[in-house]
Amino acid sequence: MNVAVVGAGALGCLFGGRLAAAGQDVWLLHHRQSYVDRLNEDGLRIESDVDGLESTTVSIPATTDADEVAHVDLVLVFVKAHQTRAALEQHKECISPETRVLSLQNGIRHYDHLVDFVGERRALAGVTYQGAVVEEPGVVRHTSDGSSTFGGADAEFARKAERALVDAGFPIKRVDDPLPAIWSKQLISLPIKPLAALTRLPSGKLVEQEELVAFMDKIIMEAERVAAAKGIEIPNEEPLETVIEICEAGDSHRSSMLQDVLAERKTEINAVNGAIVELSREEGVDVPANELVTWLVRGLERSYLDGR
């Protein structure tokens, strides 16, 4: 299978590198030339903290220009959620009328973005619980080996992609409808990400305060009402308990949205809680807790992004 990975960050390099090591024909696409140069000069090193998976170095072509790639069978999208449309447009030269596009990103509406860009027949989406961090350009540490779930209208191609990912060592679950899995994961992200960004607390500290836990519960319950209004059945029956367990297990972990704020980058707030606000208006559901954290994080962004 010919694969292009749009967004050669931690997860993009992890998935692209493992696929290449398993014999797939893979290109990595990144926006920064110096990053691409390091990958092309030194190859990609995946350092594994996962039992049963060895560290590996793979030679894998990287570029900033999709014209070099030509058309591929599959595009994997691993950019920040708010960058999806722009990234697909920037790299459209590798997307043919038969290319399938798969996103395992954060956010509620990444499937919608793919459908808008390539149509429902060619869009695949889902979630991943894989964990990875970039230690330096060309070196990625694989920190956790969680499962990935995805699906879409083209079940035949989804099975082909599933086989390639399983052969690369990823635990995969393929489904016909990816929306329940997407919403289930986002119910966990919705309370953690904005509150971590606003309080600057690591995950474990977030759930030590009863008031914050109660506010997390409000955020989750509002999202559940929006999902119910849209006819989406979420498999996670106790999301708040899951949030508390995850936060306690990753006591010192800093949410990606907190990392973005500390680095003074644009966050994914519009794709997470902001998306709940948008959908709530479409369905006529009140979501005051999600509205509040969306407005506050947007205001926090303005404090360091205005004038750039």
Side-chain angles (χ1 to χ4, degrees):
M1 183 184 294
N2 296 317
V3 181
V5 180
V6 174
L11 288 176
C13 282
L14 174 65
F15 275 80
R18 293 288 189 199
L19 283 166
Q24 306 298 334
D25 184 3
V26 181
W27 276 85
L28 298 177
L29 289 155
H30 195 274
H31 67 278
R32 191 162 61 247
Q33 187 62 50
S34 60
Y35 191 95
V36 164
D37 291 342
R38 283 287 297 274
L39 287 167
N40 287 326
E41 291 167 7
D42 302 330
L44 172 63
R45 177 70 178 171
I46 301 174
E47 299 284 355
S48 180
D49 291 342
V50 176
D51 290 341
L53 289 178
E54 295 183 356
S55 299
T56 186
T57 299
V58 59
S59 178
I60 183 168
T63 183
T64 61
D65 184 0
D67 279 329
E68 293 186 37
V69 179
H71 291 162
V72 296
D73 302 313
L74 175 66
V75 168
L76 285 173
V77 183
F78 280 110
V79 296
K80 291 282 191 179
H82 59 269
Q83 299 169 336
T84 302
R85 291 177 184 269
L88 289 172
E89 183 64 34
Q90 178 184 353
H91 299 301
K92 64 183 180 182
E93 297 306 321
C94 69
I95 302 174
S96 78
E98 294 304 316
T99 299
R100 272 47 175 183
V101 181
L102 167 61
S103 168
L104 298 174
Q105 299 162 279
N106 288 323
I108 297 289
R109 308 198 79 166
H110 60 271
Y111 190 27
D112 296 338
H113 296 328
L114 300 193
V115 170
D116 288 346
F117 197 84
V118 298
E120 185 173 6
R121 183 180 68 89
R122 295 163 53 204
L124 300 167
V127 298
T128 184
Y129 291 90
Q130 291 286 324
V133 294
V134 175
E135 297 202 324
E136 60 180 273
V139 180
V140 170
R141 182 163 297 278
H142 188 188
T143 57
S144 63
D145 192 36
S147 64
S148 303
T149 301
F150 74 92
D154 189 343
E156 182 179 353
F157 188 90
R159 283 191 290 271
K160 182 179 179 181
E162 177 189 18
R163 287 194 298 272
L165 290 165
V166 169
D167 288 346
F170 295 106
I172 299 294
K173 180 181 179 182
R174 183 179 53 80
V175 294
D176 293 329
D177 180 6
L179 288 177
I182 291 170
W183 277 78
S184 181
K185 182 179 181 183
Q186 292 314 302
L187 284 189
I188 310 307
S189 298
L190 285 164
I192 296 174
K193 288 180 180 293
L195 292 183
L198 292 166
T199 64
R200 304 200 175 196
L201 291 172
S203 296
K205 296 294 183 183
L206 282 176
V207 293
E208 288 181 358
Q209 293 183 239
E210 291 182 6
E211 298 85 355
L212 287 179
V213 173
F215 194 71
M216 286 180 166
D217 197 24
K218 290 181 180 179
I219 290 172
I220 292 169
M221 288 191 295
E222 290 176 1
E224 288 178 320
R225 288 198 292 270
V226 174
K230 293 185 67 63
I232 297 169
E233 295 185 12
I234 302 174
N236 190 346
E237 296 181 356
E238 299 292 342
L240 182 62
E241 291 184 11
T242 304
V243 167
I244 294 171
E245 290 172 2
I246 288 173
C247 286
E248 289 177 342
D251 180 61
S252 60
H253 175 70
R254 288 180 171 180
S255 165
S256 60
M257 194 172 289
L258 172 55
Q259 294 178 47
D260 287 337
V261 167
L262 294 175
E264 298 192 344
R265 297 186 295 252
K266 186 172 176 60
T267 74
E268 292 183 307
I269 189 64
N270 291 333
V272 186
N273 304 83
I276 293 297
V277 174
E278 288 180 9
L279 292 169
S280 74
R281 291 169 180 166
E282 294 174 9
E283 301 297 336
V285 178
D286 291 331
V287 291
N290 281 275
E291 285 184 339
L292 179 59
V293 294
T294 299
W295 296 336
L296 289 174
V297 174
R298 286 175 180 170
L300 182 56
E301 285 182 340
R302 288 191 61 186
S303 73
Y304 55 79
L305 291 179
D306 274 8
R308 288 190 180 179

